[in-house]
Amino acid sequence: MPGVKVMILLVIGVPIFLGMIGLGIWLLVLLILALLKYLRSDKVRKEDAAVTRSLGEILLAHRTRCHMTQEFVAGSLGVSRQSVSKWEKGQSSPSTANLLALAKLYGVSAEELLRDVA
């Protein structure tokens, strides 16, 4: 009887053991492939980070492109210069009405102002 139990254990246990080793190797290969893909995507991630900007950075870029001062923008919108400064520093966000007014003042669409916002 002990010989039969050993045979059954070998017939059932060895394939299960080999299957577990194969599964482990397969998972290891998948992990390595995923890590390689991540490492190769560094350039794409840096490009995305460069494209994505805060609303404040976008507002500042449009204001300087138009050669306007914060005082001029504030006067045109009927807000304080400090409000414009806070928008550009990202400390607060303009209201929807002010965002539309900024877009019109800068000669762009509101969609363009918000397109690359992080």
Side-chain angles (χ1 to χ4, degrees):
M1 275 304 192
V4 173
K5 289 183 180 177
V6 171
M7 286 297 282
I8 291 174
L9 184 60
L10 287 175
V11 169
I12 295 174
V14 170
I16 291 174
F17 179 72
L18 292 176
M20 290 173 62
I21 290 176
L23 181 63
I25 292 171
W26 181 66
L27 289 173
L28 185 63
V29 167
L30 287 178
L31 179 65
I32 290 170
L33 290 174
L35 286 172
L36 287 173
K37 185 174 182 178
Y38 176 77
L39 291 173
R40 290 184 189 130
S41 70
D42 186 49
K43 182 179 178 184
V44 173
R45 284 183 284 120
K46 285 181 180 174
E47 288 174 0
D48 286 345
V51 169
T52 304
R53 300 183 296 172
S54 71
L55 178 59
E57 292 170 329
I58 292 169
L59 294 176
L60 175 63
H62 281 289
R63 181 177 60 79
T64 56
R65 176 187 55 81
C66 295
H67 305 289
M68 297 178 185
T69 64
Q70 287 181 345
E71 290 84 7
F72 179 80
V73 172
S76 299
L77 271 61
V79 297
S80 68
R81 187 204 56 79
Q82 289 82 1
S83 293
V84 176
S85 175
K86 285 182 180 180
W87 297 340
E88 292 179 356
K89 290 179 182 177
Q91 295 173 346
S92 67
S93 297
S95 67
T96 305
N98 284 334
L99 187 66
L100 294 172
L102 285 166
K104 186 175 181 181
L105 183 64
Y106 297 150
V108 296
S109 67
E111 178 186 353
E112 187 173 335
L113 286 178
L114 299 173
R115 183 177 306 134
D116 296 327
V117 173

